[in-house]
Amino acid sequence: KRVKTIGLLFNEAKLNKESNICFGEGGAGTFSDGKLTTRKNHPWIRWILDYLVDCGAPQEIATSGKPHIGSDRLRKVVIEMRKRLLAKGVRVEFGAHVSDMTLEGEAIQSLRCADGREWTELDAVIWATGHSARDSYRLLEEKKIPLESKAFAVGFRIEHPQELVNHWQHKKCKEEVGAADYSVVHNIDKERSVYSFCMCPGGQIVCSSSHEGYHVVNGMSNYARNAQYANSGLVIKVSPADFPNKGVMAGIDFQCEIESKAYQSVGGRYVGPAQRVSDYMAGRISSDLPGSSYKPGLESVDMRTFLPEALKESMLKALPAFEKKFPGFSSSDALFIGTETRTSAPLRIPRKESGCSEGVSNFYPCGEGAGYAGGIISAALDGLYIGERIAQRG
C-alpha cells in the first residue's frame, strides 16, 4: 500500500498524509538508500548488521566500509523483520495515528488513536515516531512532557550527473569501479558550517513532504546505484539562536517557514522548486533546467528567497570552496532542488539514565525523533539501549 501511495505522489503529485516517504512501515529509513554508516563505535553494531543480513540484506554489508542496502531491497528486509515479530507474538497495528494520551501522576495511563482505537493499562510506552511527526511533538508539549530545542541543519538537495562525480573521484583509475560518492564541508566560523549530507550515488531525489502545504525533499538510491544522477543534501548548521520564534517548537516553526515558501513558490504543488547552482550564485532565475531524477517534475524559481539572509550568505560563501575542490560542483550542470530541512530532529525529549522521560516513569523516547540518533544504525542502537533499560527494570 505504501509503495502505491508514494507512486501517486511521484506520478500525479497527490500527497497521502498518512502514507508517504516519511510515514509508514519502516519509517523514512525504508526509502532512504539504506545507508548503514555511523560515527558510533559499539559492539552491538556487529549484531545489528548480522541481523539485517539474516533478514535478507546483502551479505557484503557485514564487511563493507560504506555499507548500504538500497531502497529496493530494504523494503523486503522490513517485511521480514515484521514477520519475525509476528512469530514472537507481537501485534502490529497499522494506521495507528496516536492523537491523545491520558496521564495520571507520573505515568501514561492510556493512548488514543484518531480512528478511536485505545490502549490502556500500559506498562511501558516506547515513543519512536521519527523526526517528522510534528503533531506528536505538539501533543507532548500539550501534556507538559519535557522537551528542549536543539540544533539541526537546513538547505537544499544538489544533483549532478553521476559521470561528473565519477570523474572527480576516479579520473586516475583505469578500471570501472562503480558509482562514486563525495563529501564536502566548509566552516564559515566557529558556529556555522555548510556540508554535504546523506550523499546518494546513482540515485534520485524524492518528494518527502508529509504535511499538506509544505515542500521538502530527500535522496535515495537502489542497491545497484546505477541511475544517471548523484545527489546529496547541501545543508547549513542552525541552532536555536537562528530561530525567529522562541520555545521548544521554534525549530519546527523554522522548518515550516522554509518548507512553506518552497511549496508556495511552485503554486502550491508538489513539483520540485529548482535552480541551476550557477544561477543561484549569480542571483538569477534559471531560464531552463537540466535533466533530473525528481518526479513529478521541476519548476524554475528563485531559491535564494527560501532561506534567511545569514544562511543564504553562508551557502554563497561555501559554493566557491566546493567548486575549487570539485570543478563543476557549482556549474550550470549542477541543480539545486529544495528544500532539505529534516536532517535531524529539531528538538529532543530529555530522558533519565534509566531511559524514561524526565517526569514520566513509563514513557521511553527513542531514536531519531526523540533526538538521540541520526541514521539507521544509531537509531537501531538506541532501540537496543531502550529495550535493555526496560528489561533491567523487571
Side-chain angles (χ1 to χ4, degrees), residues 335-358:
L335 188 62
F336 270 155
I337 300 175
T339 56
E340 174 90 41
T341 54
R342 311 217 189 145
T343 52
S344 66
L347 53 77
R348 180 178 288 108
I349 310 172
R351 64 191 187 194
K352 300 176 183 178
E353 194 170 328
S354 62
C356 68
S357 168
E358 295 179 2

PDB file of all heavy atoms in Angstrom, residues 335-358:
ATOM      1  N   LEU A 335      22.378  21.182 -10.048  1.00  0.00           N
ATOM      2  CA  LEU A 335      20.999  21.626  -9.846  1.00  0.00           C
ATOM      3  C   LEU A 335      20.654  21.616  -8.366  1.00  0.00           C
ATOM      4  O   LEU A 335      20.890  20.635  -7.664  1.00  0.00           O
ATOM      5  CB  LEU A 335      20.068  20.677 -10.612  1.00  0.00           C
ATOM      6  CG  LEU A 335      18.590  21.026 -10.723  1.00  0.00           C
ATOM      7  CD1 LEU A 335      18.394  22.342 -11.476  1.00  0.00           C
ATOM      8  CD2 LEU A 335      17.842  19.899 -11.440  1.00  0.00           C
ATOM      9  N   PHE A 336      20.104  22.728  -7.880  1.00  0.00           N
ATOM     10  CA  PHE A 336      19.520  22.785  -6.544  1.00  0.00           C
ATOM     11  C   PHE A 336      18.039  22.429  -6.647  1.00  0.00           C
ATOM     12  O   PHE A 336      17.322  22.957  -7.511  1.00  0.00           O
ATOM     13  CB  PHE A 336      19.633  24.195  -5.951  1.00  0.00           C
ATOM     14  CG  PHE A 336      20.879  24.457  -5.161  1.00  0.00           C
ATOM     15  CD1 PHE A 336      21.360  25.748  -5.025  1.00  0.00           C
ATOM     16  CD2 PHE A 336      21.573  23.424  -4.526  1.00  0.00           C
ATOM     17  CE1 PHE A 336      22.507  26.018  -4.288  1.00  0.00           C
ATOM     18  CE2 PHE A 336      22.717  23.678  -3.785  1.00  0.00           C
ATOM     19  CZ  PHE A 336      23.189  24.979  -3.675  1.00  0.00           C
ATOM     20  N   ILE A 337      17.576  21.545  -5.794  1.00  0.00           N
ATOM     21  CA  ILE A 337      16.155  21.240  -5.671  1.00  0.00           C
ATOM     22  C   ILE A 337      15.813  21.375  -4.192  1.00  0.00           C
ATOM     23  O   ILE A 337      16.528  20.867  -3.327  1.00  0.00           O
ATOM     24  CB  ILE A 337      15.833  19.825  -6.191  1.00  0.00           C
ATOM     25  CG1 ILE A 337      16.214  19.707  -7.668  1.00  0.00           C
ATOM     26  CG2 ILE A 337      14.350  19.497  -5.998  1.00  0.00           C
ATOM     27  CD1 ILE A 337      16.036  18.317  -8.247  1.00  0.00           C
ATOM     28  N   GLY A 338      14.741  22.084  -3.892  1.00  0.00           N
ATOM     29  CA  GLY A 338      14.509  22.402  -2.468  1.00  0.00           C
ATOM     30  C   GLY A 338      13.210  21.848  -1.945  1.00  0.00           C
ATOM     31  O   GLY A 338      12.316  21.532  -2.716  1.00  0.00           O
ATOM     32  N   THR A 339      13.155  21.728  -0.635  1.00  0.00           N
ATOM     33  CA  THR A 339      14.182  22.076   0.352  1.00  0.00           C
ATOM     34  C   THR A 339      14.559  20.839   1.171  1.00  0.00           C
ATOM     35  O   THR A 339      13.801  19.882   1.222  1.00  0.00           O
ATOM     36  CB  THR A 339      13.662  23.137   1.340  1.00  0.00           C
ATOM     37  OG1 THR A 339      12.454  22.629   1.965  1.00  0.00           O
ATOM     38  CG2 THR A 339      13.308  24.427   0.633  1.00  0.00           C
ATOM     39  N   GLU A 340      15.755  20.874   1.789  1.00  0.00           N
ATOM     40  CA  GLU A 340      16.207  19.797   2.673  1.00  0.00           C
ATOM     41  C   GLU A 340      16.215  20.385   4.085  1.00  0.00           C
ATOM     42  O   GLU A 340      17.102  21.155   4.449  1.00  0.00           O
ATOM     43  CB  GLU A 340      17.609  19.341   2.273  1.00  0.00           C
ATOM     44  CG  GLU A 340      18.232  18.336   3.221  1.00  0.00           C
ATOM     45  CD  GLU A 340      17.939  16.887   2.860  1.00  0.00           C
ATOM     46  OE1 GLU A 340      17.977  16.557   1.661  1.00  0.00           O
ATOM     47  OE2 GLU A 340      17.687  16.096   3.780  1.00  0.00           O
ATOM     48  N   THR A 341      15.212  20.063   4.868  1.00  0.00           N
ATOM     49  CA  THR A 341      15.054  20.677   6.196  1.00  0.00           C
ATOM     50  C   THR A 341      14.991  19.656   7.327  1.00  0.00           C
ATOM     51  O   THR A 341      15.000  20.034   8.493  1.00  0.00           O
ATOM     52  CB  THR A 341      13.769  21.514   6.254  1.00  0.00           C
ATOM     53  OG1 THR A 341      12.672  20.680   5.857  1.00  0.00           O
ATOM     54  CG2 THR A 341      13.844  22.724   5.338  1.00  0.00           C
ATOM     55  N   ARG A 342      14.924  18.360   6.994  1.00  0.00           N
ATOM     56  CA  ARG A 342      14.695  17.362   8.044  1.00  0.00           C
ATOM     57  C   ARG A 342      15.919  16.463   8.230  1.00  0.00           C
ATOM     58  O   ARG A 342      15.834  15.237   8.213  1.00  0.00           O
ATOM     59  CB  ARG A 342      13.448  16.541   7.715  1.00  0.00           C
ATOM     60  CG  ARG A 342      12.269  17.452   7.354  1.00  0.00           C
ATOM     61  CD  ARG A 342      10.965  16.965   7.844  1.00  0.00           C
ATOM     62  NE  ARG A 342       9.889  17.773   7.283  1.00  0.00           N
ATOM     63  CZ  ARG A 342       8.700  17.319   6.946  1.00  0.00           C
ATOM     64  NH1 ARG A 342       8.427  16.029   7.114  1.00  0.00           N
ATOM     65  NH2 ARG A 342       7.780  18.114   6.452  1.00  0.00           N
ATOM     66  N   THR A 343      17.058  17.115   8.378  1.00  0.00           N
ATOM     67  CA  THR A 343      18.308  16.393   8.536  1.00  0.00           C
ATOM     68  C   THR A 343      18.361  15.631   9.850  1.00  0.00           C
ATOM     69  O   THR A 343      18.970  14.573   9.946  1.00  0.00           O
ATOM     70  CB  THR A 343      19.483  17.374   8.475  1.00  0.00           C
ATOM     71  OG1 THR A 343      19.243  18.442   9.412  1.00  0.00           O
ATOM     72  CG2 THR A 343      19.610  17.964   7.074  1.00  0.00           C
ATOM     73  N   SER A 344      17.753  16.191  10.884  1.00  0.00           N
ATOM     74  CA  SER A 344      17.638  15.524  12.187  1.00  0.00           C
ATOM     75  C   SER A 344      16.512  16.197  12.944  1.00  0.00           C
ATOM     76  O   SER A 344      15.940  17.193  12.484  1.00  0.00           O
ATOM     77  CB  SER A 344      18.952  15.597  12.980  1.00  0.00           C
ATOM     78  OG  SER A 344      19.264  16.926  13.334  1.00  0.00           O
ATOM     79  N   ALA A 345      16.197  15.676  14.104  1.00  0.00           N
ATOM     80  CA  ALA A 345      15.082  16.218  14.881  1.00  0.00           C
ATOM     81  C   ALA A 345      15.366  17.653  15.301  1.00  0.00           C
ATOM     82  O   ALA A 345      16.485  17.980  15.700  1.00  0.00           O
ATOM     83  CB  ALA A 345      14.829  15.349  16.111  1.00  0.00           C
ATOM     84  N   PRO A 346      14.344  18.522  15.248  1.00  0.00           N
ATOM     85  CA  PRO A 346      14.537  19.912  15.673  1.00  0.00           C
ATOM     86  C   PRO A 346      14.431  20.096  17.180  1.00  0.00           C
ATOM     87  O   PRO A 346      14.574  21.214  17.671  1.00  0.00           O
ATOM     88  CB  PRO A 346      13.407  20.647  14.950  1.00  0.00           C
ATOM     89  CG  PRO A 346      12.320  19.632  14.847  1.00  0.00           C
ATOM     90  CD  PRO A 346      13.007  18.294  14.672  1.00  0.00           C
ATOM     91  N   LEU A 347      14.160  19.021  17.900  1.00  0.00           N
ATOM     92  CA  LEU A 347      14.110  19.094  19.355  1.00  0.00           C
ATOM     93  C   LEU A 347      14.477  17.742  19.952  1.00  0.00           C
ATOM     94  O   LEU A 347      14.619  16.746  19.253  1.00  0.00           O
ATOM     95  CB  LEU A 347      12.742  19.575  19.851  1.00  0.00           C
ATOM     96  CG  LEU A 347      11.462  18.855  19.382  1.00  0.00           C
ATOM     97  CD1 LEU A 347      11.263  17.552  20.113  1.00  0.00           C
ATOM     98  CD2 LEU A 347      10.257  19.753  19.597  1.00  0.00           C
ATOM     99  N   ARG A 348      14.652  17.718  21.252  1.00  0.00           N
ATOM    100  CA  ARG A 348      14.997  16.488  21.968  1.00  0.00           C
ATOM    101  C   ARG A 348      14.012  16.296  23.123  1.00  0.00           C
ATOM    102  O   ARG A 348      13.550  17.256  23.729  1.00  0.00           O
ATOM    103  CB  ARG A 348      16.432  16.568  22.508  1.00  0.00           C
ATOM    104  CG  ARG A 348      16.883  15.317  23.271  1.00  0.00           C
ATOM    105  CD  ARG A 348      18.324  15.425  23.734  1.00  0.00           C
ATOM    106  NE  ARG A 348      19.250  15.298  22.607  1.00  0.00           N
ATOM    107  CZ  ARG A 348      19.960  16.299  22.096  1.00  0.00           C
ATOM    108  NH1 ARG A 348      19.869  17.515  22.623  1.00  0.00           N
ATOM    109  NH2 ARG A 348      20.766  16.095  21.069  1.00  0.00           N
ATOM    110  N   ILE A 349      13.712  15.017  23.416  1.00  0.00           N
ATOM    111  CA  ILE A 349      12.871  14.672  24.564  1.00  0.00           C
ATOM    112  C   ILE A 349      13.817  14.183  25.662  1.00  0.00           C
ATOM    113  O   ILE A 349      14.309  13.057  25.587  1.00  0.00           O
ATOM    114  CB  ILE A 349      11.836  13.587  24.208  1.00  0.00           C
ATOM    115  CG1 ILE A 349      11.065  13.966  22.928  1.00  0.00           C
ATOM    116  CG2 ILE A 349      10.872  13.373  25.370  1.00  0.00           C
ATOM    117  CD1 ILE A 349      10.163  12.866  22.393  1.00  0.00           C
ATOM    118  N   PRO A 350      14.136  15.014  26.634  1.00  0.00           N
ATOM    119  CA  PRO A 350      15.113  14.620  27.665  1.00  0.00           C
ATOM    120  C   PRO A 350      14.686  13.343  28.381  1.00  0.00           C
ATOM    121  O   PRO A 350      13.498  13.117  28.623  1.00  0.00           O
ATOM    122  CB  PRO A 350      15.124  15.819  28.630  1.00  0.00           C
ATOM    123  CG  PRO A 350      14.588  16.959  27.841  1.00  0.00           C
ATOM    124  CD  PRO A 350      13.595  16.366  26.892  1.00  0.00           C
ATOM    125  N   ARG A 351      15.669  12.526  28.714  1.00  0.00           N
ATOM    126  CA  ARG A 351      15.366  11.288  29.425  1.00  0.00           C
ATOM    127  C   ARG A 351      16.446  11.005  30.477  1.00  0.00           C
ATOM    128  O   ARG A 351      17.575  11.494  30.389  1.00  0.00           O
ATOM    129  CB  ARG A 351      15.231  10.107  28.462  1.00  0.00           C
ATOM    130  CG  ARG A 351      16.491   9.739  27.719  1.00  0.00           C
ATOM    131  CD  ARG A 351      16.219   8.749  26.594  1.00  0.00           C
ATOM    132  NE  ARG A 351      17.475   8.291  25.991  1.00  0.00           N
ATOM    133  CZ  ARG A 351      17.566   7.653  24.840  1.00  0.00           C
ATOM    134  NH1 ARG A 351      16.468   7.384  24.139  1.00  0.00           N
ATOM    135  NH2 ARG A 351      18.739   7.265  24.370  1.00  0.00           N
ATOM    136  N   LYS A 352      16.076  10.211  31.445  1.00  0.00           N
ATOM    137  CA  LYS A 352      16.988   9.825  32.514  1.00  0.00           C
ATOM    138  C   LYS A 352      17.907   8.697  32.041  1.00  0.00           C
ATOM    139  O   LYS A 352      17.714   8.118  30.970  1.00  0.00           O
ATOM    140  CB  LYS A 352      16.185   9.358  33.727  1.00  0.00           C
ATOM    141  CG  LYS A 352      15.238  10.402  34.300  1.00  0.00           C
ATOM    142  CD  LYS A 352      14.427   9.794  35.435  1.00  0.00           C
ATOM    143  CE  LYS A 352      13.413  10.780  35.993  1.00  0.00           C
ATOM    144  NZ  LYS A 352      12.586  10.175  37.058  1.00  0.00           N
ATOM    145  N   GLU A 353      18.888   8.352  32.879  1.00  0.00           N
ATOM    146  CA  GLU A 353      19.775   7.242  32.546  1.00  0.00           C
ATOM    147  C   GLU A 353      19.008   5.931  32.448  1.00  0.00           C
ATOM    148  O   GLU A 353      19.403   5.008  31.735  1.00  0.00           O
ATOM    149  CB  GLU A 353      20.884   7.121  33.601  1.00  0.00           C
ATOM    150  CG  GLU A 353      22.027   6.233  33.161  1.00  0.00           C
ATOM    151  CD  GLU A 353      23.214   6.310  34.100  1.00  0.00           C
ATOM    152  OE1 GLU A 353      23.445   7.386  34.685  1.00  0.00           O
ATOM    153  OE2 GLU A 353      23.901   5.284  34.251  1.00  0.00           O
ATOM    154  N   SER A 354      17.866   5.850  33.114  1.00  0.00           N
ATOM    155  CA  SER A 354      17.021   4.661  33.052  1.00  0.00           C
ATOM    156  C   SER A 354      16.306   4.538  31.711  1.00  0.00           C
ATOM    157  O   SER A 354      15.675   3.516  31.428  1.00  0.00           O
ATOM    158  CB  SER A 354      15.976   4.700  34.166  1.00  0.00           C
ATOM    159  OG  SER A 354      15.115   5.823  34.004  1.00  0.00           O
ATOM    160  N   GLY A 355      16.397   5.576  30.873  1.00  0.00           N
ATOM    161  CA  GLY A 355      15.771   5.554  29.559  1.00  0.00           C
ATOM    162  C   GLY A 355      14.415   6.227  29.507  1.00  0.00           C
ATOM    163  O   GLY A 355      13.942   6.561  28.422  1.00  0.00           O
ATOM    164  N   CYS A 356      13.774   6.425  30.653  1.00  0.00           N
ATOM    165  CA  CYS A 356      12.438   7.022  30.635  1.00  0.00           C
ATOM    166  C   CYS A 356      12.529   8.552  30.622  1.00  0.00           C
ATOM    167  O   CYS A 356      13.545   9.140  30.999  1.00  0.00           O
ATOM    168  CB  CYS A 356      11.603   6.538  31.813  1.00  0.00           C
ATOM    169  SG  CYS A 356      12.156   7.114  33.418  1.00  0.00           S
ATOM    170  N   SER A 357      11.456   9.169  30.190  1.00  0.00           N
ATOM    171  CA  SER A 357      11.385  10.617  30.129  1.00  0.00           C
ATOM    172  C   SER A 357      11.463  11.222  31.521  1.00  0.00           C
ATOM    173  O   SER A 357      11.033  10.617  32.508  1.00  0.00           O
ATOM    174  CB  SER A 357      10.069  11.025  29.454  1.00  0.00           C
ATOM    175  OG  SER A 357       9.827  12.403  29.604  1.00  0.00           O
ATOM    176  N   GLU A 358      12.002  12.411  31.584  1.00  0.00           N
ATOM    177  CA  GLU A 358      12.020  13.124  32.857  1.00  0.00           C
ATOM    178  C   GLU A 358      10.584  13.483  33.249  1.00  0.00           C
ATOM    179  O   GLU A 358       9.905  14.203  32.534  1.00  0.00           O
ATOM    180  CB  GLU A 358      12.877  14.387  32.741  1.00  0.00           C
ATOM    181  CG  GLU A 358      14.345  14.105  32.489  1.00  0.00           C
ATOM    182  CD  GLU A 358      15.162  15.376  32.347  1.00  0.00           C
ATOM    183  OE1 GLU A 358      14.583  16.466  32.476  1.00  0.00           O
ATOM    184  OE2 GLU A 358      16.377  15.271  32.105  1.00  0.00           O
TER     185      GLU A 358
END
